[in-house]
Amino acid sequence: MANNILVLNGPNLNLLGSREPDIYGPTTLADIERDLTAEAAARRIRISFYQSNHEGALVDRIQAARGEGVDFMIINAGALTHTSIALRDALAAVGIPFIEVHLSNVYRREEFRRRSFMADLAVGVVAGLGAAGYRCALRYALDLGPSGAG
């Protein structure tokens, strides 16, 4: 079971709720954070959040996580999922287990969205469930943790 969880969000996720709601839904990033905070608090688990539109800032945050005792991450890297070798390298370097989350079903969208530079490092990938995908990832971290992967 994870005790210190970091939720990372990449470019444009700060616009959730107003950005293409037909694709990404009406839920804001603040709504998602509030929901996850409540669930983590009920289980007495530390959870923190970080969003940036800048690749280097996300790399810096991933690197800092190891020194902070983060033992699980939930990551929605947005478009950087499909382009960033730097994020992949940072995730590989720190060795913290993570779940990759996508609000939309990337496999029903443009071809370029079907390739993730991080998925093969991830414990799992949740796609197409909207904001509920974050809750699924959190519950996995809380209930099964990395040793529950099959």
Side-chain angles (χ1 to χ4, degrees):
M1 178 171 94
N3 293 304
N4 187 354
I5 299 169
L6 172 62
V7 182
L8 287 172
N9 286 284
N12 299 310
L13 291 163
N14 56 307
L15 300 177
L16 287 179
S18 63
R19 175 188 178 214
E20 301 173 276
D22 54 316
I23 295 174
Y24 300 108
T27 306
T28 67
L29 190 56
D31 294 335
I32 292 168
E33 291 177 0
R34 199 170 20 260
D35 183 37
L36 298 182
T37 296
E39 187 153 350
R43 305 278 284 277
R44 295 191 171 107
I45 300 299
R46 182 171 186 262
I47 191 166
S48 55
F49 302 91
Y50 184 78
Q51 186 278 327
S52 180
N53 293 318
H54 305 282
E55 181 180 39
L58 291 164
V59 168
D60 289 343
R61 188 66 191 92
I62 290 166
Q63 291 178 1
R66 183 167 50 187
E68 297 167 355
V70 170
D71 54 4
F72 202 89
M73 294 186 287
I74 298 168
I75 302 172
N76 183 343
L80 292 174
T81 301
H82 321 291
T83 63
S84 181
I85 296 169
L87 283 181
R88 176 195 170 73
D89 287 351
L91 291 164
V94 300
I96 299 170
F98 68 95
I99 292 179
E100 180 180 323
V101 173
H102 301 283
L103 294 162
S104 68
N105 181 349
V106 294
Y107 302 102
R108 295 186 69 189
R109 299 188 61 199
E110 304 93 340
E111 182 70 30
F112 69 86
R113 294 188 195 274
R114 297 176 191 161
R115 170 77 167 110
S116 167
F117 281 100
M118 302 177 286
D120 65 315
L121 298 176
V123 171
V125 177
V126 179
L129 301 181
Y134 285 88
R135 286 191 304 277
C136 290
L138 179 62
R139 287 182 183 144
Y140 174 85
L142 295 176
D143 295 336
L144 296 176
S147 63

